[in-house]
Amino acid sequence: MERQLARTARPIESTGPAFVGRDRELAAVAEALTGGPALVLVEGEAGIGKTRLLQESLRGLDELTVLAAACPPMAEPFPLGPLVDALHRRSIDGVELTPLAGALRPLFPEWAEHLPPALEPLEDPSSTRHRLFRALVELVERSGVDVLVLEDAHWADAATLEFLPMLCASSDRDLSLVVTYRATDVPAGSPLLRLTSRPPAGLRRLSLTLQPLGVDATTALVASIFATDDVSAEFVSFLHRHTGGVPLAVEESVSLLRDRGDIVRRGGEWSRRALDELQVPPTVRDSVLERVARLAPEARRILAAAAVLTDPADEPTLAAVAGLDEEDARFGLAEALSSGLVREAAAGRFVCRHALASRAIEEATPASERRHLHRKAAEALQGSGTAPVARLSRHYREAGDVAAWSRYAEAAADLALESGEDRAAVVVLHELLTTADHPPDRHARLVRSLGEAATWGVAALGDLALEVAETLSSALERYDLPAAQRGEIRVLLGRLWLQLGDFDAGISQVEAAVADLAERPELAVRAMISLAYPRGHDWPVSRHLEWLGRATRAMPHLPEAERVWFDVDRASALLMMGEESGWSAAAELAGEATTLFDQRQLARGLMNVGHSAIGWGRDDDARRQLDRAIELLASTGYQRLMNSALITRALVDWHAGAWDGLADRVGELADSDDTLPEALLEARMLLGLAGLADGRRADAEEHLRTVVAEAGRRGLVDVHAAPTGALGRLYLADDAVDDALQVTGPAMATIVRKELWLWAADLAPAHVEGLVRAGRLAEAGELVDRFAAGLAGRDMPASRAALLVCQGLVAADDATAADLFGQAAEAWSRLPRPYAELLARERRARSLLAAGSAGDAALDLLTSVQRRLRELGARWDADRVAQLMRGQGVDVARAWRGGRRGYGDRLSPRELEVARLVAQGLTNRQVAESLYLSPRTVDRHLSAAMRKLAVRSRTALAVAITADAAATDPKIG
């Protein structure tokens, strides 16, 4: 009897809420979707009505085929999960697919008999992902989809968001894209930000931001719930004030008050029983949970099952998870539907009405019951034979079944790697390792998988990479592992530290691993090769060569299939160390590449040779090697290294003086997510060099300082030298000699310690000049002698040209210096490197002037240098030379080309401001505080002002900067 009453008793009846307050948005969406391909962006907070707007907009557009994908709120969403789930609900019977669709088998195992055969695995995850994306495009296109809807895109995985632009660009159909999201919940760096700011080409864009309802619209909403216009204004005002006009909060609050019996008819109007006695719950969660508590037990169990499942499920699945028989499940589902907490997402498939309700219900379920429900969910999904491994992994994790969780988590990680989602794989494996205990064998296997995934995709890990390194370190201490397993983990940990830039930590792990890998010679050789690359700050070249020799002697133990990568690494390491034998080793590479893997290794080798050739000063060789590398990377689909090769080729263009459009090209590559960390440093270096030459000093200094700090931390000697030398030149131009030596000193010390004179060409002149100007002549001379000795017997044109510059800087007299600078200029011109050549010719002209002879020849030379610098685009340098010429009485016109104006020998407004405050007796720190500048910046402005005014003391500056002088002195601009 009690049960019958429970089933028949109902609170005050109400109807479904009307769609109110969105007429303009409704018309805009309908017009966009019927007017050709469009990108419709609907943004708004939770419960604001994004989904309802789409439902109403699509109603009546029956001529359009809509594919709706929803993104569930998961800690680490599964790659392509929303699209897979949406497509899975469609039939592919009659859909004609090409062999490319064989790439879809891992995503749709239940379609095995309908899909073409599986494709040959690819070695590069980026290529695998690209192929998978192309196959998905084909599936969507040939399924006749007109509109793809992605709901709650702030929870979407990166792969899904990166796929959308490719779908729009590749599809031959007029496909529209509708995306709903919450802007405040979009993670930093999410691809969604690019999609919302730069829509795919060819799509008209409609961007809507849904605002909360006003009081009038809230009145209409509440009135529609009760199918009457008789609603108390006080009641609506109360609701609007406490819900902020968010439609979902309004609906849930009204439902709660109705279920409580707290809504009464008074004076012909619906109102609350007592305006001040009861409070509307402050959050939707409180509202949901209280409503759940008022339902029959069967309905609560259905709700708990739906919340645990998260995704839409049919009635038998809900019944199985809830543990109800058919009759009770039907009653529970009916009541859950009547409550509004469950909705029918598709015919016969039900889900919690919104994610907030689902989360609130699951979190409120007792832990023991929640574990039981997750196990039942896993069993039910396994029985259907269609559940993605990521969902099974989640359910078994929550159920506490570590063995099953591990099995499906590893499968999910493998699928993530195959889809190119390295971070997703790392998150799954790391959570599995750090939150559960495992037998030694499984633990070792998981650690190995985690290390391999992390070292492959370290660029995308961020701070998680440090947690992974700690997990790998703990694994070495946790178990008494066999030597081979311990060595393998050490190699992975070392490689991870090396990629994170901690050379010392990485190299110590790799070095320790070699002794453990006697039974794994192929892995031991890889470890030795890692030790052969001349990175870090302390090891001399001889020690790197020793490891390379050991690796070479162990090479016969390598499988034949791995010989090419070894030969590539051997040639690369030799060239980076400045060993002539590296050239013959590089020449032997081309004939070895037969398989796809070998061809990609050859492309990597060509890129490395091209990079090293720049350091050697063999620029023509560098361009040829890099052009071949780029062709081979493109033909083999090895996109992972393409941006690296393009950036290195841009460095050849920089040295060759081909500067037109260079900064724009490099900037685009620097902004690309596909650019690897070391290549990004090289890109920022180029942007810094270009900015400095163009006179954009602040931007240039920011880029250069960033690269100097990071390359120095990582021990990247080959990347560290050039930006350090440029930064030193910038400080020397401001007479900030101490700053110049402070920045160039550590990098120069590393080159001396490691005996890597190959990479001194861009650094040594700036450092030697700093030593000379600081009066440390003996130290400068000793360094130049060591530089010369280090180049003995080596054909390194760039370093030899730089050595001539250094020898000119320490020459005994100006005439000798002028001759040496002239030789250096000729050497640079033969490479050719016109910018370096012109800087050397400028030095020659200055020396000729200082020698007091050949004045006309010096001025003629300066005239030529200034003109060529201007034509090259080296604005900063051209202005410096022009200033020198004006000081010699030569009238030089300097056109301003826009941007930040240079002031030559006249004080800039900021320099004048600093000088006047100093003249008033303020210290540099007081000036800095007054002008909101750093003391270092004040020092630079002050040094520049004193140089331009030809004064050497603050007292002399005060005399020069008087009110009258400021008004009349032509040097003050």
Side-chain angles (χ1 to χ4, degrees):
M1 182 67 176
E2 290 179 358
R3 173 138 178 193
Q4 183 65 31
L5 288 174
R7 291 192 177 191
T8 57
R10 286 289 181 270
I12 299 171
E13 293 294 330
S14 64
T15 63
F19 185 65
V20 301
R22 308 290 189 209
D23 292 343
R24 182 183 63 83
E25 293 86 349
L26 181 64
V29 174
E31 181 182 0
L33 295 180
T34 55
L39 170 64
V40 179
L41 301 170
V42 183
E43 182 263 314
E45 61 183 293
I48 202 68
K50 302 183 291 294
T51 298
R52 182 69 184 275
L53 173 64
L54 294 187
Q55 291 172 345
E56 297 294 332
S57 300
L58 293 170
R59 187 169 295 161
L61 301 180
D62 296 333
E63 69 276 15
L64 297 178
T65 299
V66 179
L67 177 66
C71 306
M74 302 177 67
E76 189 66 31
F78 187 71
L80 302 173
L83 294 170
V84 171
D85 289 345
L87 289 165
H88 173 262
R89 293 192 289 271
R90 303 177 68 87
S91 172
I92 62 169
D93 289 341
V95 178
E96 295 183 4
L97 299 171
T98 70
L100 176 64
L104 299 174
R105 283 178 168 268
L107 296 180
F108 302 96
E110 66 279 10
W111 290 353
E113 55 186 58
H114 300 290
L115 291 173
L119 302 179
E120 178 183 355
L122 297 177
E123 184 266 341
D124 179 22
S126 296
S127 302
T128 301
R129 178 173 58 177
H130 184 72
R131 185 173 68 182
L132 181 63
F133 280 10
R134 289 172 52 213
L136 278 173
V137 169
E138 177 181 298
L139 177 60
V140 171
E141 183 178 61
R142 299 197 176 196
S143 297
V145 175
D146 298 304
V147 179
L148 172 60
V149 176
L150 185 69
E151 291 198 66
D152 293 325
H154 50 277
W155 284 322
D157 60 284
T160 295
L161 295 172
E162 290 168 356
F163 169 75
L164 299 181
M166 180 175 178
L167 172 64
C168 296
S170 303
S171 177
D172 292 330
R173 296 181 61 82
D174 288 340
L175 183 70
S176 291
L177 182 61
V178 181
V179 179
T180 72
Y181 65 103
R182 301 204 303 251
T184 55
D185 288 347
V186 178
S190 169
L192 179 59
L193 298 174
R194 293 197 303 275
L195 182 66
T196 58
S197 61
R198 290 179 292 187
L203 295 187
R204 294 174 298 105
R205 170 176 167 153
L206 172 64
S207 182
L208 300 174
T209 299
L210 300 188
Q211 302 296 334
L213 301 177
V215 174
D216 290 343
T218 301
T219 301
L221 178 61
V222 175
S224 72
I225 294 175
F226 294 103
T228 179
D229 291 331
D230 299 329
V231 179
S232 163
E234 293 179 334
F235 177 35
V236 172
S237 177
F238 170 86
L239 279 175
H240 189 268
R241 185 170 66 253
H242 286 274
T243 63
V246 175
L248 178 61
V250 173
E251 295 171 27
E252 297 293 347
S253 299
V254 169
S255 296
L256 172 61
L257 293 171
R258 183 200 63 209
D259 290 350
R260 283 177 170 178
D262 286 326
I263 298 179
V264 296
R265 193 168 181 83
R266 179 187 296 136
E269 294 180 327
W270 290 105
S271 184
R272 285 206 322 148
R273 185 184 300 278
L275 195 61
D276 299 320
E277 292 178 1
L278 293 175
Q279 294 266 334
V280 172
T283 65
V284 172
R285 175 174 296 178
D286 295 336
S287 171
V288 168
L289 294 182
E290 189 163 353
R291 288 176 62 196
V292 170
R294 295 180 178 277
L295 297 176
E298 297 88 344
R300 293 202 299 270
R301 292 192 67 82
I302 289 291
L303 279 170
V308 163
L309 285 164
T310 304
D311 294 311
D314 56 23
E315 188 172 337
T317 301
L318 287 170
V321 176
L324 298 173
D325 60 30
E326 183 177 350
E327 180 184 359
D328 287 345
R330 186 178 303 112
F331 163 70
L333 179 57
E335 182 157 302
L337 286 167
S338 298
S339 74
L341 291 171
V342 167
R343 64 182 175 87
E344 190 171 23
R349 299 179 67 83
F350 307 93
V351 69
C352 283
R353 179 152 181 263
H354 52 78
L356 293 175
S358 175
R359 193 181 308 166
I361 295 166
E362 182 178 1
E363 291 177 354
T365 305
S368 58
E369 177 65 12
R370 192 161 63 241
R371 284 194 293 272
H372 175 72
L373 288 172
H374 276 288
R375 178 172 289 281
K376 298 288 288 184
E379 293 171 351
L381 291 175
Q382 274 187 312
S384 70
T386 62
V389 290
R391 291 177 62 189
L392 287 170
S393 170
R394 170 178 171 264
H395 288 310
Y396 278 120
R397 178 194 65 204
E398 296 298 329
D401 188 335
V402 176
W405 172 23
S406 178
R407 183 167 63 255
Y408 288 107
E410 289 183 78
D414 289 342
L415 186 54
L417 286 173
E418 187 172 336
S419 302
E421 291 298 318
D422 305 320
R423 179 181 170 82
V426 171
V427 169
V428 168
L429 294 169
H430 188 256
E431 181 185 34
L432 181 60
L433 267 168
T434 55
T435 58
D437 292 326
H438 304 277
D441 287 347
R442 185 201 300 158
H443 188 273
R445 184 180 70 248
L446 291 173
V447 168
R448 183 172 62 252
S449 298
L450 174 63
E452 290 173 347
T455 53
W456 186 263
V458 67
L461 296 184
D463 292 340
L464 179 59
L466 297 176
E467 297 180 33
V468 172
E470 179 61 31
T471 300
L472 298 182
S473 297
S474 298
L476 293 171
E477 303 171 0
R478 183 169 182 178
Y479 296 110
D480 184 16
L481 297 172
Q485 286 187 1
R486 184 173 63 246
E488 185 172 9
I489 294 173
R490 283 191 185 280
V491 169
L492 292 170
L493 178 58
R495 287 174 56 196
L496 181 58
W497 278 124
L498 288 173
Q499 292 188 57
L500 289 172
D502 192 331
F503 180 85
D504 293 333
I507 217 71
S508 65
Q509 290 291 344
V510 176
E511 196 169 20
V514 175
D516 290 332
L517 294 172
E519 299 176 4
R520 298 285 305 278
E522 76 289 350
L523 194 55
V525 172
R526 287 184 179 271
M528 294 174 192
I529 282 289
S530 295
L531 299 170
Y533 274 93
R535 298 290 170 84
H537 304 92
D538 299 319
W539 282 18
V541 164
S542 58
R543 190 164 179 183
H544 293 291
L545 281 171
E546 179 184 345
W547 278 111
L548 184 59
R550 290 184 60 178
T552 303
R553 291 191 294 275
M555 189 180 69
H557 297 290
L558 283 179
E560 189 66 31
E562 299 193 27
R563 296 292 176 87
V564 173
W565 76 253
F566 173 82
D567 290 339
V568 163
D569 280 328
R570 180 173 177 273
S572 301
L574 285 169
L575 289 174
M576 284 186 66
M577 286 186 279
E579 294 295 313
E580 291 281 353
S581 58
W583 291 108
S584 57
E588 296 171 0
L589 295 177
E592 300 182 13
T594 54
T595 67
L596 177 64
F597 174 81
D598 288 349
Q599 289 176 335
R600 289 178 169 178
Q601 292 303 307
L602 174 59
R604 181 174 66 88
L606 293 170
M607 190 180 75
N608 290 348
V609 172
H611 172 76
S612 293
I614 298 172
W616 284 72
R618 301 185 180 187
D619 293 0
D620 289 341
D621 284 342
R623 185 178 297 280
R624 282 193 296 270
Q625 301 287 352
L626 290 166
D627 286 345
R628 290 179 59 205
I630 291 168
E631 291 175 6
L632 200 50
L633 290 170
S635 65
T636 60
Y638 199 26
Q639 295 297 318
R640 185 168 182 264
L641 293 182
M642 180 61 79
N643 285 2
S644 301
L646 292 172
I647 290 169
T648 304
R649 189 171 65 178
L651 182 56
V652 180
D653 291 337
W654 165 262
H655 285 305
W659 293 4
D660 287 346
L662 180 67
D664 291 338
R665 283 190 284 122
V666 173
E668 291 180 5
L669 293 169
D671 288 339
S672 171
D673 291 339
D674 294 329
T675 299
L676 297 176
E678 288 188 21
L680 179 58
L681 286 178
E682 196 168 43
R684 293 203 67 172
M685 176 193 73
L686 274 167
L687 293 174
L689 295 176
L692 181 58
D694 192 42
R696 293 177 284 109
R697 291 174 41 126
D699 291 343
E701 184 173 2
E702 179 184 356
H703 282 301
L704 294 172
R705 289 182 68 86
T706 298
V707 178
V708 166
E710 185 63 11
R713 185 183 72 82
R714 289 173 171 267
L716 305 177
V717 183
D718 51 324
V719 180
H720 195 201
T724 304
L727 205 53
R729 283 205 310 121
L730 189 154
Y731 294 153
L732 289 171
D734 288 345
D735 289 329
V737 176
D738 289 343
D739 288 347
L741 289 175
Q742 187 175 8
V743 75
T744 60
M748 197 71 238
T750 297
I751 286 177
V752 172
R753 211 164 29 241
K754 296 183 74 68
E755 300 175 357
L756 272 176
W757 299 104
L758 168 66
W759 303 105
D762 295 311
L763 171 62
H767 185 67
V768 171
E769 182 179 353
L771 291 175
V772 171
R773 289 171 61 173
R776 296 157 61 178
L777 301 179
E779 186 177 344
E782 181 183 350
L783 176 60
V784 174
D785 289 343
R786 294 190 67 174
F787 191 4
L791 296 182
R794 299 176 186 270
D795 182 18
M796 297 177 179
S799 294
R800 289 203 169 275
L803 174 61
L804 287 168
V805 174
C806 293
Q807 289 171 333
L809 289 167
V810 299
D813 57 77
D814 292 317
T816 303
D819 181 59
L820 288 165
F821 291 143
Q823 293 180 47
E826 292 300 322
W828 287 123
S829 69
R830 286 192 293 270
L831 292 183
R833 294 192 183 180
Y835 186 42
E837 173 201 344
L838 291 172
L839 296 181
R841 294 196 186 282
E842 178 192 352
R843 291 185 186 275
R844 171 174 167 77
R846 288 177 180 272
S847 295
L848 290 173
L849 289 173
S853 60
D856 290 342
L859 293 177
D860 289 344
L861 179 57
L862 285 174
T863 300
S864 172
V865 167
Q866 198 268 347
R867 175 181 54 79
R868 289 181 60 193
L869 284 170
R870 190 175 63 247
E871 293 170 351
L872 182 63
R875 225 179 278 183
W876 182 59
D877 304 276
D879 282 352
R880 181 184 62 252
V881 174
Q883 178 183 337
L884 174 61
M885 294 170 66
R886 283 193 295 272
Q888 297 296 317
V890 179
D891 186 16
V892 183
R894 183 182 69 243
W896 179 53
R897 304 180 187 177
R900 183 175 178 179
R901 185 184 292 274
Y903 291 89
D905 60 353
R906 299 165 65 87
L907 299 192
S908 70
R910 180 64 87 183
E911 289 165 353
L912 179 59
E913 194 173 20
V914 169
R916 283 175 171 166
L917 291 175
V918 169
Q920 295 171 18
L922 274 65
T923 66
N924 286 16
R925 183 167 294 281
Q926 289 171 328
V927 174
E929 293 173 354
S930 174
L931 299 179
Y932 301 99
L933 300 173
S934 70
R936 182 186 293 270
T937 301
V938 169
D939 183 64
R940 288 187 198 142
H941 286 312
L942 181 58
S943 296
M946 293 175 72
R947 184 184 70 250
K948 291 178 180 181
L949 294 173
V951 298
R952 295 183 177 274
S953 69
R954 299 168 82 93
T955 302
L957 179 68
V959 173
I961 302 294
T962 62
D964 291 340
T968 60
D969 193 335
K971 288 187 176 180
I972 299 175

